[in-house]
Amino acid sequence: MLDRKNSTELLIIGGGVIGVSIAYHCAKAGIDVLLLEKGQFGTATTSQTARAFRTYFPKKPHDSELAVRSLPEFNSFAATMNTDLGLKHLGLLTVLTTPEQTAEIEALLPAHREVGADVKLLTPAEAVEYNPWLDADTIEAAVWSPECYRVKPEALVKGYADAATKLGARLLTGTEVTGIDARTGEVTTTAGEFTADSIVIAAGPWGGDVAKLTGMELPVWGQFAELLYTDPLSDRATDTDTPFTFHPVSGLKTMGRGKGFLVGLERISKQEGLRDIWFEAAVEELPKWYPKAAGAKLHSAWTGTLDVTPTKSALIGRGEGEHERILFAAGFTGHGLAHAPIAGRIVRDLHRGVTPEVDLTPFSLATNLAQKPA
C-alpha cells in the first residue's frame, strides 16, 4: 500500500461545482478525499453560465427533484459555509404558445408538485404582469415558478472548496489525469501516480474522454454554448427587471441585464459549426416574443462549452464489472449549479453503498445509452 500522500479512499477528477460539492459532502462524511483539477477550480464551465438556478424543468420532474432537494443548501450556505452567494430572487416564467403544448405541460405539473416544485399555471394576461415585455397575443398560457435565483457561481465553488479543505480533503489544481486503471484504482497524472478505492469522473464536457482512459463508454460530450446581450432597450432610469423567461419550443431564454436582456438559445446538437446558424436563430426568435425589442442588436457575452448527454439530463451512477470502482457525475447540460448540492450527496452515498435519496434511473448509464443521440 502506498503512503497517504499517494493514496486515497475517493479520488475525484474535475474541480467544477460538481467536483467540489462531491469533495465537500464526502469529506464531511469522514471520507478521505483527493480532488484533481487540470486547470483552476470552476473556471472551465461553472463560471461561464447565466449565473442562475431554478427548480422547475418543464418536461423533467426528475430534474426538478434534484434542484428542489438542492435548494435548502443554497439557502443555508451563508450560515454553514460563511460564504455569501449573492442570492437574488428572479422567478422563472415558462411561456407556452399553443393549446397542445399547454395541455402537455399542464398534465405534468402534478408530477412536479409531487417532487416539491412550486408551479402555477397562468393566463396570458397574468404572464404579462410578470414580464411586461411579452406580447399577450402570442401566448397561450405560462407557468410561474418563484424558486429561481441569481447566484455567484465562483462563490459557490470557493465555498465548497474551502470547506472541503478544512475537513481534510486534498484539492490539487494544475494536475491532468493521463491514465486510469479501473481494476487497481491506479491513476497516472502530470503530478505523479495515485491509488484510490473509488474514482469519480466529474470532469464536465471532458467526462467522456476521462472515461475512455478506463475503457468505459460514458456518453458525455462538449456542446458549444453562447450567451448574448442586447443593446439598451429603454431610456428609463430603472433597469430592465424581468424574471428568467423560458420559451421551451424555441429554447429562447431571457432575463433582465441592466437596461437590456441577457439572451440564450438552448439548442442541443452534436453537429459541428452551428454557431452562425444558432446566432441567426436567436436574432430571429427574440422579436417574435418581444416585439418592443425588434431591431435590437445582439452581442456576445460569453462563449464556452456545456457537458451534454443523450437524455439532456445528468449521468450519475457507478460502473459495473471491472469498472465497479468508477463513479460518475457529469453531463448536467448547463444545470450543474442547480444540481450540485444533491449530486455531492448522491456520490457520497454511492461510495458508501447507501441507497441515494432519489431514484437514479433517469440519470443512469443504461438510460442514456438507450437514448438516441441528439
Side-chain angles (χ1 to χ4, degrees):
M1 173 68 70
L2 297 173
D3 61 27
R4 185 178 182 276
K5 179 181 178 182
N6 294 316
S7 66
T8 186
E9 186 177 350
L10 186 79
L11 186 149
I12 303 164
I13 302 171
V17 69
I18 301 297
V20 294
S21 171
I22 294 169
Y24 164 71
H25 286 96
C26 289
K28 186 179 179 182
I31 298 167
D32 183 29
V33 172
L34 171 65
L35 183 149
L36 307 178
E37 162 56 42
K38 66 179 181 179
Q40 298 297 317
F41 299 133
T43 57
T45 57
T46 302
S47 63
Q48 303 165 346
T49 68
R51 310 176 75 83
F53 74 89
R54 53 184 166 120
T55 59
Y56 174 54
F57 296 82
K59 294 184 181 181
K60 299 181 176 181
H62 51 279
D63 278 353
S64 294
E65 182 177 13
L66 293 188
V68 166
R69 289 178 180 265
S70 292
L71 182 58
E73 197 160 306
F74 283 99
N75 289 331
S76 64
F77 208 87
T80 58
M81 305 289 197
N82 195 31
T83 301
D84 179 15
L85 296 181
L87 290 181
K88 178 184 177 183
H89 182 257
L90 292 170
L92 171 68
L93 187 67
T94 301
V95 178
L96 312 176
T97 55
T98 68
E100 295 77 15
Q101 183 194 30
T102 300
E104 179 184 18
I105 297 299
E106 185 176 9
L108 288 170
L109 292 182
H112 289 277
R113 294 188 181 110
E114 187 175 341
V115 300
D118 184 355
V119 287
K120 179 175 68 172
L121 192 69
L122 304 179
T123 66
E126 290 171 329
V128 173
E129 288 182 12
Y130 282 102
N131 187 342
W133 289 84
L134 292 168
D135 180 359
D137 291 338
T138 66
I139 300 172
E140 181 71 24
V143 176
W144 173 248
S145 174
E147 294 173 337
C148 179
Y149 302 85
R150 184 168 287 142
V151 64
K152 296 177 180 177
E154 64 278 4
L156 185 64
V157 170
K158 186 177 187 303
Y160 275 138
D162 289 349
T165 301
K166 290 178 182 178
L167 290 166
R170 291 168 289 159
L171 279 61
L172 304 182
T173 58
T175 305
E176 184 174 359
V177 173
T178 56
I180 303 172
D181 189 325
R183 294 168 302 167
T184 64
E186 294 178 0
V187 179
T188 305
T189 80
T190 53
E193 296 183 357
F194 302 90
T195 300
D197 297 332
S198 293
I199 299 167
V200 183
I201 299 174
W206 302 276
D209 294 333
V210 173
K212 287 179 182 177
L213 297 175
T214 74
M216 179 180 179
E217 180 185 1
L218 202 63
V220 178
W221 69 89
Q223 164 69 49
F224 169 82
E226 184 170 16
L227 288 176
L228 310 167
Y229 66 93
T230 69
D231 289 329
L233 300 175
S234 172
D235 294 330
R236 295 180 302 176
T238 57
D239 289 346
T240 302
D241 188 16
T242 60
F244 192 127
T245 304
F246 179 39
H247 298 72
V249 169
S250 65
L252 181 70
K253 297 177 180 178
T254 65
M255 69 173 73
R257 180 187 187 273
K259 299 186 186 305
F261 286 132
L262 189 66
V263 178
L265 194 65
E266 191 175 272
R267 294 282 177 93
I268 305 300
S269 173
K270 278 190 172 182
Q271 184 179 342
E272 296 292 336
L274 283 178
R275 197 274 170 179
D276 291 342
I277 298 173
W278 183 94
F279 184 87
E280 289 302 319
V283 170
E284 292 176 4
E285 280 296 321
L286 187 64
K288 286 182 183 178
W289 314 111
Y290 297 93
K292 288 182 284 188
K297 291 185 178 180
L298 294 177
H299 310 275
S300 182
W302 163 80
T303 58
T305 305
L306 299 179
D307 51 332
V308 180
T309 68
T311 62
K312 304 179 185 66
S313 289
L315 256 170
I316 311 174
R318 176 189 290 277
E320 297 179 350
E322 66 179 15
H323 296 105
E324 188 175 5
R325 73 169 71 234
I326 305 297
L327 305 173
F328 45 85
F332 287 82
T333 318
H335 305 141
L337 283 180
H339 295 160
I342 182 66
R345 302 200 299 268
I346 290 172
V347 173
R348 173 201 65 195
D349 291 343
L350 289 174
H351 170 71
R352 299 169 75 187
V354 175
T355 301
E357 59 193 87
V358 297
D359 177 13
L360 294 183
T361 302
F363 314 104
S364 70
L365 182 57
T367 297
N368 275 275
L369 289 175
Q371 180 80 30
K372 290 183 179 180

